[in-house]
């Protein structure tokens, strides 16, 4: 693949959307062709799956259906957006990817991590992010920010202990895949968060 695959991870309200806009501007100013996208979503059909997954008024979604819907959306996204863009040498900036499934469905819901990894291997054996920026903040800080922002979706309606497990899951992943993960303290003023992000982006560009 000629392009670069950058994923942004972290639990609710840590500032993914805010910082993705910043990253897109930074890379565009460095003459990179950038595709900004998100999971679940990124294609018309995957966005339909997103609506099902996040609808707070949906019928009961069993955990297994939730897990498989995230991977179904991911398969659509890979085939129609991510792989073509990487082949064309573009930079993909993606709000969440499979690390989110391990953190939320694995650590959060308690699904067996090996089973999730097996499905991931099946769906995207040959594609892994080149850089994963983990925005890390205590669960209650992120929740406060998300609540302040407005309406709460189905995935944002869990107990605080769920998001604490999610955060712990991300920290485990960052240690396990330290070759591609960088951890940024998202519980500091935005200008300092972005200063750290720039440093990691410059490192990636130097390797390019
Ligand atoms: N999910 C899953 O379970 N499994 C999977 O495989 C995948 C996803 C792919 C998708 O939601 C949901 O699906 C998500 C995980 C699950 N659910 N949950 N719960 P999403 O990714 O689209 O949305 P989100 O996680 O709920 O993110 P968010 O709430 O949109 O937050 P954010 O994008 O990280 O934050 P933000 O909107 O940029 O910032 C929130 C507020 O904080 C805003 O007012 C900012 O101005 C403010 N902010 C940002 N940074 C700072 C700093 N540094 N200081 C102070 N204030 C700040």
């Amino acid at each position: 693949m000629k392009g670069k695959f950058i994923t942004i991870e972290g639990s609710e309200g840590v500032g993914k959307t805010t910082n993705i806009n910043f990253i897109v501007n930074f890379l565009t100013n460095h003459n990179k062709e950038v595709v900004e996208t998100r999971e679940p979503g990124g294609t018309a059909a995957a966005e339909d799956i997103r609506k099902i997954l996040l609808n707070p008024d949906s019928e009961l979604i069993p955990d297994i259906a939730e897990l498989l819907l995230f991977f179904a959306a991911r398969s659509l996204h890979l085939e129609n957006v991510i792989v073509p863009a990487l082949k064309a040498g573009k930079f993909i900036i993606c709000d969440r990817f499979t690390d989110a499934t391990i953190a939320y469905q694995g650590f959060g819901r308690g699904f067996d991590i090996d089973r999730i990894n097996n499905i991931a291997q099946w769906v995207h054996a040959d594609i892994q992010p080149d850089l994963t920026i983990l925005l890390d903040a205590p669960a209650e800080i992120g929740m406060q920010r998300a609540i302040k922002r407005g309406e709460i979706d189905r995935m944002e309606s869990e107990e605080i202990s769920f998001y604490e497990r999610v955060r712990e899951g991300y920290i485990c992943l960052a240690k396990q895949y330290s070759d591609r993960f960088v951890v940024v303290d998202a519980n500091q003023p935005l200008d300092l968060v972005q200063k750290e992000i720039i440093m990691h982006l410059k490192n990636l560009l130097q390797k390019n």
Side-chain angles (χ1 to χ4, degrees), residues 67-76 98 101 116 119-120 123-124:
L67 175 72
L68 295 174
L69 282 167
F70 277 116
F71 273 110
R74 183 159 301 136
S75 169
L76 290 160
T98 295
T101 315
I116 299 176
I119 304 174
V123 174
H124 60 90

Side-chain angles (χ1 to χ4, degrees), residues 23-67:
I23 292 168
V24 169
N25 283 338
F26 177 87
L27 291 172
T28 307
N29 289 338
H30 282 74
N31 301 318
K32 301 297 175 195
E33 237 186 300
V34 179
V35 176
E36 178 188 345
T37 187
R38 67 174 180 182
E39 291 215 346
T43 78
E47 289 288 332
D48 285 344
I49 295 176
R50 179 185 179 92
K51 284 186 196 132
I52 296 171
L53 281 162
L54 300 189
N55 179 2
D57 303 318
S58 87
E59 66 196 58
L60 175 74
I61 300 185
D63 290 352
I64 190 157
E66 181 183 281
L67 175 72

Side-chain angles (χ1 to χ4, degrees), residues 124-144:
H124 60 90
D126 47 348
I127 309 273
Q128 288 298 339
D130 296 291
L131 173 67
T132 299
I133 300 175
L134 173 58
L135 297 173
D136 178 59
E140 63 273 16
I141 298 283
M143 285 310 286
Q144 279 163 16

Side-chain angles (χ1 to χ4, degrees), residues 188-200:
Q188 57 179 338
L190 193 55
D191 58 328
L192 297 183
V193 172
Q194 294 183 337
K195 213 168 154 190
E196 281 189 39
I197 291 178
I198 287 183
M199 182 185 78
H200 296 303

Side-chain angles (χ1 to χ4, degrees), residues 10-19 38-40 50 54 66 70 74 95-98 100-101 104-105 145-146 149 153 155-156 163 186 188-190 193:
S11 54
E12 348 305 310
V14 288
K16 293 182 304 304
T17 311
T18 310
N19 288 299
R38 67 174 180 182
E39 291 215 346
R50 179 185 179 92
L54 300 189
E66 181 183 281
F70 277 116
R74 183 159 301 136
D95 189 339
R96 302 188 183 282
F97 192 62
T98 295
T101 315
Y104 281 81
Q105 281 63 52
R145 287 185 193 163
R149 203 192 33 200
D153 65 42
M155 293 297 302
E156 290 169 335
Y163 304 102
Q188 57 179 338
L190 193 55
V193 172

